[in-house]
């Protein structure tokens, strides 16, 4: 019985520890988009599969018994590929996803949008010092809309694009302390982020609430109805234990 954990999140790393402690054979897969990723315990595969067909081949060749999709809530491409491949190969699939912020304090006053283009257009109307925490792969969608704005940009790795001269780039990896966020966001008048959920980066949301900073937040895509979802590593480990051996 070999489990494939599609990882890259704290929840995936927690699950890897539980599976290792339980003596379950598993491999964690990371997309390879972060230069210095936090590695889980156990065997790790870094890099893509080559789309749905490549993932189907991997499932068969490695005799994968079940897949836990514990990727980031906005890694929608990988999640879609996992659903397609697992459906074709009749491999059980579980989605391990941290709860979002839709019920969090202040959520009712935030500006919820469906994509980054909408977020960029709205942020341009709400302030002059936006704080972008949307990930480096989405920054290009803000350049035109925020022309002339002195944006503060925080990402883990160096962006692939040339940022406007007025933008300030901060390379940093969470978690972030509340006091440090208060200092960093002293001149920020709009926060642009995604509904990543969890507590890892919540401190910026708390500061925005404290100071009545405008918040533009990109909604998550809904998980397909046919995919079972759990929100904790313990629940995912229990699901794995209940799977029949293939």
């Amino acid at each position: 019985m070999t489990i494939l954990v599609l990882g890259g999140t704290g929840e995936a790393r927690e699950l890897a520890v539980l599976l290792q402690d339980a003596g379950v054979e598993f491999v964690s897969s990371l997309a390879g988009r972060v230069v210095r990723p936090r590695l889980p315990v156990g065997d790790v595969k870094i890099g893509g599969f080559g789309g749905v067909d490549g993932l189907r081949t991997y499932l068969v060749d490695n005799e994968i018994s079940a897949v836990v999709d514990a990727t980031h809530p906005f890694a929608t491409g990988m999640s879609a590929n996992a659903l397609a491949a697992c459906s074709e190969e009749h491999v059980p699939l579980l989605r391990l996803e941290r709860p979002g912020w839709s019920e969090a304090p202040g959520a009712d006053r935030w500006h919820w949008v469906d994509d980054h283009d909408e977020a960029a257009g709205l942020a341009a109307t709400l302030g002059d010092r936006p704080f972008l925490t949307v990930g480096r792969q989405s920054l290009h969608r803000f350049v035109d809309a925020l022309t002339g704005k002195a944006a503060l940009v925080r990402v883990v790795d160096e962006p692939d694009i040339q940022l406007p001269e007025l933008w300030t780039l901060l390379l940093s990896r969470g978690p972030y302390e509340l006091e440090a966020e208060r200092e960093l966001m002293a001149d920020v008048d709009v926060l642009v982020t995604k509904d990543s959920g969890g507590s890892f980066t919540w401190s910026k949301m708390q500061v925005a609430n404290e100071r009545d900073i405008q918040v533009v937040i990109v909604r998550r895509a809904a998980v397909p109805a046919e995919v079972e979802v759990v929100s904790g590593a313990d629940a995912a480990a229990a699901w794995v234990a209940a799977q029949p051996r293939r």
Side-chain angles (χ1 to χ4, degrees), residues 6 51-52 55 69 71 75-87 93 224:
L6 304 175
V52 174
L55 180 52
D69 175 12
T71 56
T76 54
M78 187 66 253
S79 293
N81 289 350
L83 175 57
C86 288
S87 297
L93 172 66

Side-chain angles (χ1 to χ4, degrees), residues 40-92:
V41 299
D43 293 336
V44 179
K45 175 189 181 303
I46 296 180
F49 293 94
V52 174
D53 290 340
L55 180 52
R56 289 180 63 185
T57 298
Y58 185 89
L59 296 177
V60 173
D61 290 350
N62 293 274
E63 299 181 339
I64 299 299
S65 301
V67 175
V68 178
D69 175 12
T71 56
H72 190 275
F74 284 83
T76 54
M78 187 66 253
S79 293
N81 289 350
L83 175 57
C86 288
S87 297
E88 291 289 341
E89 300 302 330
H90 306 288
V91 174

Side-chain angles (χ1 to χ4, degrees), residues 12-13 21 23 26 50 56-57 66 82 120 149 155 214 226 228-229 237 242:
R13 292 189 293 274
D21 290 347
F26 70 97
R56 289 180 63 185
T57 298
K149 306 283 187 180
V155 291
Q214 298 283 352
E226 63 267 36
E228 183 178 352
V229 183

